[in-house]
Amino acid sequence: MTDNGSGNGGALDGAVVAVAGAAGPAGRATLLRLAEAGATVVAADASPERLAEAVDAARYAHGGATVTGDTVDLLDPAAARAWADKTEKEFGRIDGLVHLVGGWRGGATFGETDLADWDLLEKLLIRTVQHTSLAFHEALKRSDRGRFVLISQSGAAAPTEGNAAYAASKAAAEAWTLALADSFRKAGGEEGPRAAAAILVIKALVHDAMRAERPNAKFAGFTDVKDLADAVAGVWDRPAQEVNGQRLWLTPKP
């Protein structure tokens, strides 16, 4: 069982946090940040090679940190539950689930929308949220600092015509997360929620490799993956009642 003792004394010290979709640039930054904060980090992705690289990088950067990786098909609800059950059994608790599974499809105009894009995005952006939230729900309620963190996009609030499928998928994921937040609210009763579900809203993400490839690009309104990771960790620094059911904007509202 993971020690929940003092360590560096931060809100994440001794916490057990699962990260879904951990192998991309945002996932890598988040693993590093959570490990730095003293959390035990349990990473999952569908790509075993990229996941192993991300986990190794976080372990190397923070010697002594516990960072593990599991190849999980989050489109399979049974696999998501098995991941949650295994994590709680191994570490004794689960204090967070950060949902970083992403994907984008779109076109130039509304009339050119290909509903095959919806079929894909519904799986990546909605089903994975449903499966992970249902799998981790009870464990997060049992935690004294449970957090579910969804990464959303400003287009969910102000869709453009070529992004109909993407924006609708993100909006559905937000609505699902807000329903989870209501569950935490009701479970807390008069004392307020002990766990929280929060939505971090970005325009788009940028990382060092993107800047190197496009040195003259401005990336206006984009959020650096390191800043996103800081914002993810910051959700634990605030009381559950303050962040539960909230959209926390990392880019100007449209």
Side-chain angles (χ1 to χ4, degrees), residues 72-89:
V72 183
D73 178 8
L74 295 177
L75 294 177
D76 178 354
R81 285 194 184 277
W83 179 42
D85 291 345
K86 173 188 172 185
T87 299
E88 189 171 23
K89 182 177 180 181

Side-chain angles (χ1 to χ4, degrees), residues 7 60 90 95 101 103 110 238-240:
Y60 179 78
E90 182 172 352
D95 302 296
V101 181
F110 184 82
R238 298 166 64 177

Side-chain angles (χ1 to χ4, degrees), residues 81 84-85 88 92-97 131-148 180 183-184 187 194-195:
R81 285 194 184 277
D85 291 345
E88 189 171 23
R93 58 187 295 126
I94 299 173
D95 302 296
L97 187 287
H131 295 164
T132 53
S133 59
L134 288 169
F136 285 83
H137 177 227
E138 292 302 320
L140 292 176
K141 282 204 302 184
R142 285 190 287 271
S143 168
D144 60 349
R145 49 182 157 169
R147 299 289 188 273
F148 181 92
L180 173 62
S183 168
F184 290 150
R194 285 162 32 103

Side-chain angles (χ1 to χ4, degrees), residues 1-95:
M1 183 177 293
T2 296
D3 177 32
N4 197 28
S6 57
N8 62 25
L12 276 162
D13 190 49
V16 178
V17 182
V19 180
R28 287 182 175 229
T30 299
L31 297 187
L32 286 167
R33 183 66 182 83
L34 293 173
E36 178 186 44
T40 292
V41 190
V42 184
D45 201 274
S47 170
E49 296 83 6
R50 293 171 66 227
L51 178 63
E53 292 174 1
V55 167
D56 286 347
R59 285 176 179 162
Y60 179 78
H62 301 290
T66 300
V67 185
T68 66
D70 292 298
T71 304
V72 183
D73 178 8
L74 295 177
L75 294 177
D76 178 354
R81 285 194 184 277
W83 179 42
D85 291 345
K86 173 188 172 185
T87 299
E88 189 171 23
K89 182 177 180 181
E90 182 172 352
F91 297 107
R93 58 187 295 126
I94 299 173
D95 302 296

Side-chain angles (χ1 to χ4, degrees), residues 10-253:
L12 276 162
D13 190 49
V16 178
V17 182
V19 180
R28 287 182 175 229
T30 299
L31 297 187
L32 286 167
R33 183 66 182 83
L34 293 173
E36 178 186 44
T40 292
V41 190
V42 184
D45 201 274
S47 170
E49 296 83 6
R50 293 171 66 227
L51 178 63
E53 292 174 1
V55 167
D56 286 347
R59 285 176 179 162
Y60 179 78
H62 301 290
T66 300
V67 185
T68 66
D70 292 298
T71 304
V72 183
D73 178 8
L74 295 177
L75 294 177
D76 178 354
R81 285 194 184 277
W83 179 42
D85 291 345
K86 173 188 172 185
T87 299
E88 189 171 23
K89 182 177 180 181
E90 182 172 352
F91 297 107
R93 58 187 295 126
I94 299 173
D95 302 296
L97 187 287
V98 182
H99 188 278
L100 294 171
V101 181
W104 180 84
R105 292 289 188 279
T109 69
F110 184 82
E112 293 172 356
T113 298
D114 184 349
L115 287 179
D117 292 345
W118 169 261
D119 293 338
L120 174 66
L121 294 170
E122 185 267 343
K123 293 182 177 69
L124 290 177
L125 304 183
I126 304 174
R127 287 292 181 182
T128 59
V129 173
Q130 293 172 328
H131 295 164
T132 53
S133 59
L134 288 169
F136 285 83
H137 177 227
E138 292 302 320
L140 292 176
K141 282 204 302 184
R142 285 190 287 271
S143 168
D144 60 349
R145 49 182 157 169
R147 299 289 188 273
F148 181 92
V149 184
L150 176 76
I151 312 304
S152 191
Q153 201 264 348
S154 55
T160 56
E161 64 167 334
N163 278 324
Y166 178 76
S169 299
K170 283 294 191 182
E174 286 194 8
W176 186 273
T177 301
L178 294 176
L180 173 62
D182 190 54
S183 168
F184 290 150
R185 180 186 64 80
K186 289 178 178 174
E190 293 183 1
E191 296 180 2
R194 285 162 32 103
I199 301 166
L200 298 180
V201 185
I202 62 169
K203 175 183 177 182
L205 292 172
V206 64
H207 50 84
D208 290 343
M210 289 173 62
R211 292 192 180 93
E213 290 172 6
R214 300 169 58 194
N216 296 322
K218 300 295 185 184
F219 299 109
F222 284 39
T223 300
D224 190 280
V225 292
K226 298 184 185 73
D227 294 329
L228 175 67
D230 285 340
V232 167
V235 173
W236 274 267
D237 291 331
R238 298 166 64 177
Q241 194 159 4
E242 186 177 307
V243 295
N244 188 47
Q246 298 301 309
R247 293 179 177 89
L248 308 175
W249 287 79
L250 305 185
T251 190
K253 291 184 181 182

